[in-house]
Amino acid sequence: MEYVLKIGGSVLTDKNKEKTLSEDFDSILENLKGHENGVLVHGAGSYGHPQAEKHGVKEGSYQGVLEVHRSISELNTEILEKLSEIGLKPVPVHTSSIAYRNPETQLHLDKLSGILDEGFTPVLHGDIVPHKDKGFTIISGDEIVAKIEKQYSTGKAGFCSSVEGVLDDEGNVLDEINSMEEFTDKGMKATDVTGGMKGKVKQQIDEGVKARIFGKDGLEDFLEDRNPGTLVNPSPQ
Ligand code: IP8
């Protein structure tokens, strides 16, 4: 596994219109051409957050769980079709089928290396997850990336987001962030049900894994090892 990459829902979808792809959808995914030996995770954007909010799924309600899953699966299918068009052999891995919370999140990720060994590219997504005594809650792609990186240590975990990186008080992109104390709320766009930029940084710090956060113009640089955006580094030397 060469990399684990999350492309955010705010990049792939139009967050203002339910179940609508963004104008950049095709061009963003075309960057993955020739990069089949990695794991792609995608967010939900307008194919999950409005639906989860509407039904209160974040708080553990069962109502609407299937609607949220169906909607995010539709986005997953759109992504698979685009990736196969550019020559990859993507395989959907629906996170709800490999996840359970008790209350810590358990993700069964062993199958990912086998899928890659066969020349296929696993595509996971933020999803609903069965939660002990609570029905279902939502798992973000941010947590999925942190868990994959923790298990597989690719040394190349990344987030393609709608912001160029983690911003300081003046709105400049930080080169590196080592702890939540250094985080300011700058750069947080409209919040979503899974916590936006803050949640993204926190998940990596909690798991103790390094990851890069960059904007859509940084995606090619990330894939070509040119280090765009901000490095989240919980254990600096
Ligand atoms: O967009 C959220 O995943 P994220 C998943 O990666 C749902 O935070 C279904 C709202």
Side-chain angles (χ1 to χ4, degrees):
M1 188 185 299
E2 276 170 18
Y3 67 87
V4 51
L5 166 69
K6 178 186 170 190
I7 306 185
S10 52
V11 176
L12 292 170
T13 77
D14 181 340
K15 276 198 141 178
N16 299 315
K17 286 192 216 129
E18 262 189 46
K19 297 219 258 187
T20 307
L21 300 177
S22 70
E23 283 177 2
D24 297 324
F25 180 86
D26 285 344
S27 60
I28 288 285
L29 291 174
E30 278 160 14
N31 282 289
L32 290 170
K33 198 174 165 98
H35 293 282
E36 60 281 342
N37 193 18
V39 174
L40 180 65
V41 179
H42 63 86
S46 62
Y47 286 75
H49 289 275
Q51 296 80 357
E53 210 152 7
K54 187 163 74 196
H55 295 289
V57 175
K58 193 188 173 194
E59 283 78 38
S61 134
Y62 185 77
Q63 199 201 3
V65 156
L66 296 182
E67 184 186 331
V68 173
H69 180 72
R70 187 185 314 116
S71 177
I72 183 86
S73 299
E74 278 173 38
L75 175 60
N76 186 257
T77 303
E78 296 278 1
I79 292 169
L80 298 171
E81 277 167 10
K82 181 66 202 174
L83 293 179
S84 75
E85 216 178 279
I86 59 165
L88 270 64
K89 288 182 245 153
V91 173
V93 179
H94 297 294
T95 314
S96 51
S97 307
I98 57 164
Y100 179 57
R101 279 189 171 133
N102 183 21
E104 299 80 29
T105 307
Q106 297 156 29
L107 277 187
H108 299 283
L109 298 167
D110 293 351
K111 62 173 75 167
L112 297 182
S113 50
I115 295 172
L116 285 163
D117 288 348
E118 297 304 316
F120 300 120
T121 304
V123 184
L124 291 82
H125 53 83
D127 206 349
I128 49 164
V129 51
H131 193 134
K132 184 168 171 40
D133 299 330
K134 281 194 174 182
F136 281 81
T137 48
I138 297 287
I139 182 164
S140 169
D142 303 342
E143 185 176 357
I144 300 169
V145 168
K147 298 260 189 244
I148 295 175
E149 183 57 17
K150 178 98 178 170
Q151 181 163 336
Y152 285 96
S153 304
T154 67
K156 192 170 168 181
F159 292 89
C160 180
S161 89
S162 56
V163 191
E164 302 301 304
V166 183
L167 306 184
D168 67 12
D169 274 335
E170 271 92 57
N172 302 313
V173 176
L174 291 167
D175 284 338
E176 191 165 317
I177 182 165
N178 307 121
S179 70
M180 285 317 286
E181 284 76 62
E182 295 164 40
F183 187 85
T184 71
D185 279 354
K186 280 271 166 56
M188 288 189 73
K189 296 241 168 122
T191 49
D192 55 33
V193 295
T194 49
M197 181 62 83
K198 191 172 189 174
K200 212 179 296 309
V201 175
K202 189 169 182 319
Q203 294 287 353
Q204 313 317 303
I205 291 190
D206 287 353
E207 287 291 349
V209 296
K210 281 190 203 175
R212 273 195 179 274
I213 301 177
F214 45 86
K216 51 185 194 238
D217 296 338
L219 180 53
E220 187 185 341
D221 284 346
F222 170 77
L223 290 166
E224 300 296 336
D225 298 320
R226 289 193 293 263
N227 302 337
T230 302
L231 178 66
V232 182
N233 183 4
S235 45
Q237 298 307 317

PDB file of all heavy atoms in Angstrom, residues 6 43-44 48-49 68 126-127 138-141 193-194, ligand 1:
ATOM      1  N   LYS A   6      -7.741  10.572   1.535  1.00  0.00           N
ATOM      2  CA  LYS A   6      -9.166  10.919   1.576  1.00  0.00           C
ATOM      3  C   LYS A   6      -9.404  12.140   0.698  1.00  0.00           C
ATOM      4  O   LYS A   6      -8.685  13.147   0.813  1.00  0.00           O
ATOM      5  CB  LYS A   6      -9.642  11.242   2.993  1.00  0.00           C
ATOM      6  CG  LYS A   6     -11.131  11.650   2.966  1.00  0.00           C
ATOM      7  CD  LYS A   6     -11.677  12.122   4.290  1.00  0.00           C
ATOM      8  CE  LYS A   6     -13.074  12.726   4.075  1.00  0.00           C
ATOM      9  NZ  LYS A   6     -13.601  13.433   5.242  1.00  0.00           N
ATOM     10  N   GLY A  43     -15.328  11.400   1.448  1.00  0.00           N
ATOM     11  CA  GLY A  43     -16.308  11.940   2.381  1.00  0.00           C
ATOM     12  C   GLY A  43     -17.692  11.894   1.759  1.00  0.00           C
ATOM     13  O   GLY A  43     -17.895  11.370   0.658  1.00  0.00           O
ATOM     14  N   ALA A  44     -18.648  12.479   2.478  1.00  0.00           N
ATOM     15  CA  ALA A  44     -20.040  12.378   2.059  1.00  0.00           C
ATOM     16  C   ALA A  44     -20.546  13.641   1.359  1.00  0.00           C
ATOM     17  O   ALA A  44     -21.352  13.554   0.431  1.00  0.00           O
ATOM     18  CB  ALA A  44     -20.913  12.088   3.271  1.00  0.00           C
ATOM     19  N   GLY A  48     -24.574  12.935   2.144  1.00  0.00           N
ATOM     20  CA  GLY A  48     -24.608  12.275   3.453  1.00  0.00           C
ATOM     21  C   GLY A  48     -24.884  13.208   4.611  1.00  0.00           C
ATOM     22  O   GLY A  48     -25.688  12.894   5.468  1.00  0.00           O
ATOM     23  N   HIS A  49     -24.220  14.360   4.620  1.00  0.00           N
ATOM     24  CA  HIS A  49     -24.371  15.244   5.787  1.00  0.00           C
ATOM     25  C   HIS A  49     -25.780  15.802   5.942  1.00  0.00           C
ATOM     26  O   HIS A  49     -26.340  15.727   7.047  1.00  0.00           O
ATOM     27  CB  HIS A  49     -23.311  16.349   5.750  1.00  0.00           C
ATOM     28  CG  HIS A  49     -21.943  15.806   6.041  1.00  0.00           C
ATOM     29  ND1 HIS A  49     -21.468  15.628   7.321  1.00  0.00           N
ATOM     30  CD2 HIS A  49     -20.977  15.349   5.221  1.00  0.00           C
ATOM     31  CE1 HIS A  49     -20.265  15.098   7.272  1.00  0.00           C
ATOM     32  NE2 HIS A  49     -19.931  14.919   6.004  1.00  0.00           N
ATOM     33  N   VAL A  68     -29.251   7.426   4.562  1.00  0.00           N
ATOM     34  CA  VAL A  68     -27.884   7.963   4.569  1.00  0.00           C
ATOM     35  C   VAL A  68     -26.948   7.001   3.830  1.00  0.00           C
ATOM     36  O   VAL A  68     -26.157   7.408   2.980  1.00  0.00           O
ATOM     37  CB  VAL A  68     -27.390   8.206   6.019  1.00  0.00           C
ATOM     38  CG1 VAL A  68     -25.918   8.587   6.025  1.00  0.00           C
ATOM     39  CG2 VAL A  68     -28.228   9.286   6.694  1.00  0.00           C
ATOM     40  N   GLY A 126     -16.956   7.554   4.377  1.00  0.00           N
ATOM     41  CA  GLY A 126     -17.664   7.845   5.615  1.00  0.00           C
ATOM     42  C   GLY A 126     -19.008   7.152   5.536  1.00  0.00           C
ATOM     43  O   GLY A 126     -19.576   7.024   4.447  1.00  0.00           O
ATOM     44  N   ASP A 127     -19.542   6.685   6.675  1.00  0.00           N
ATOM     45  CA  ASP A 127     -20.713   5.810   6.599  1.00  0.00           C
ATOM     46  C   ASP A 127     -21.439   5.790   7.946  1.00  0.00           C
ATOM     47  O   ASP A 127     -21.010   6.431   8.909  1.00  0.00           O
ATOM     48  CB  ASP A 127     -20.219   4.381   6.244  1.00  0.00           C
ATOM     49  CG  ASP A 127     -21.259   3.531   5.526  1.00  0.00           C
ATOM     50  OD1 ASP A 127     -22.425   3.922   5.459  1.00  0.00           O
ATOM     51  OD2 ASP A 127     -20.876   2.450   5.035  1.00  0.00           O
ATOM     52  N   ILE A 138     -22.361   7.931  13.063  1.00  0.00           N
ATOM     53  CA  ILE A 138     -21.681   8.216  11.795  1.00  0.00           C
ATOM     54  C   ILE A 138     -20.169   8.076  11.970  1.00  0.00           C
ATOM     55  O   ILE A 138     -19.603   8.573  12.948  1.00  0.00           O
ATOM     56  CB  ILE A 138     -21.969   9.672  11.359  1.00  0.00           C
ATOM     57  CG1 ILE A 138     -23.458   9.873  11.087  1.00  0.00           C
ATOM     58  CG2 ILE A 138     -21.131  10.068  10.151  1.00  0.00           C
ATOM     59  CD1 ILE A 138     -23.969   9.244   9.824  1.00  0.00           C
ATOM     60  N   ILE A 139     -19.532   7.415  11.038  1.00  0.00           N
ATOM     61  CA  ILE A 139     -18.063   7.406  11.024  1.00  0.00           C
ATOM     62  C   ILE A 139     -17.595   8.286   9.870  1.00  0.00           C
ATOM     63  O   ILE A 139     -18.104   8.191   8.752  1.00  0.00           O
ATOM     64  CB  ILE A 139     -17.482   5.974  10.934  1.00  0.00           C
ATOM     65  CG1 ILE A 139     -15.954   6.038  10.981  1.00  0.00           C
ATOM     66  CG2 ILE A 139     -17.973   5.217   9.697  1.00  0.00           C
ATOM     67  CD1 ILE A 139     -15.286   4.706  11.276  1.00  0.00           C
ATOM     68  N   SER A 140     -16.646   9.144  10.183  1.00  0.00           N
ATOM     69  CA  SER A 140     -16.106  10.047   9.174  1.00  0.00           C
ATOM     70  C   SER A 140     -14.949   9.377   8.423  1.00  0.00           C
ATOM     71  O   SER A 140     -14.218   8.562   8.998  1.00  0.00           O
ATOM     72  CB  SER A 140     -15.572  11.301   9.873  1.00  0.00           C
ATOM     73  OG  SER A 140     -14.831  12.073   8.973  1.00  0.00           O
ATOM     74  N   GLY A 141     -14.759   9.776   7.186  1.00  0.00           N
ATOM     75  CA  GLY A 141     -13.598   9.324   6.430  1.00  0.00           C
ATOM     76  C   GLY A 141     -12.298   9.722   7.122  1.00  0.00           C
ATOM     77  O   GLY A 141     -11.267   9.059   6.948  1.00  0.00           O
ATOM     78  N   VAL A 193     -21.537  17.293  10.039  1.00  0.00           N
ATOM     79  CA  VAL A 193     -21.862  16.458  11.199  1.00  0.00           C
ATOM     80  C   VAL A 193     -20.643  15.755  11.801  1.00  0.00           C
ATOM     81  O   VAL A 193     -20.715  15.263  12.914  1.00  0.00           O
ATOM     82  CB  VAL A 193     -22.975  15.407  10.905  1.00  0.00           C
ATOM     83  CG1 VAL A 193     -24.304  16.064  10.601  1.00  0.00           C
ATOM     84  CG2 VAL A 193     -22.579  14.449   9.802  1.00  0.00           C
ATOM     85  N   THR A 194     -19.535  15.710  11.083  1.00  0.00           N
ATOM     86  CA  THR A 194     -18.372  15.003  11.625  1.00  0.00           C
ATOM     87  C   THR A 194     -17.215  15.920  12.006  1.00  0.00           C
ATOM     88  O   THR A 194     -16.101  15.460  12.233  1.00  0.00           O
ATOM     89  CB  THR A 194     -17.896  13.922  10.636  1.00  0.00           C
ATOM     90  OG1 THR A 194     -17.790  14.509   9.340  1.00  0.00           O
ATOM     91  CG2 THR A 194     -18.844  12.745  10.586  1.00  0.00           C
TER      92      THR A 194
HETATM   93  O1  IP8 B   1     -17.723  13.372   5.073  1.00  0.00           O
HETATM   94  C1  IP8 B   1     -19.448  11.462   6.825  1.00  0.00           C
HETATM   95  O2  IP8 B   1     -18.148  11.261   6.343  1.00  0.00           O
HETATM   96  P1  IP8 B   1     -17.154  12.502   6.129  1.00  0.00           P
HETATM   97  C2  IP8 B   1     -20.339  10.284   6.513  1.00  0.00           C
HETATM   98  O3  IP8 B   1     -15.863  11.875   5.773  1.00  0.00           O
HETATM   99  C3  IP8 B   1     -21.795  10.577   6.502  1.00  0.00           C
HETATM  100  O4  IP8 B   1     -17.049  13.216   7.461  1.00  0.00           O
HETATM  101  C4  IP8 B   1     -22.639   9.465   6.084  1.00  0.00           C
HETATM  102  C5  IP8 B   1     -22.369  11.705   6.841  1.00  0.00           C
END
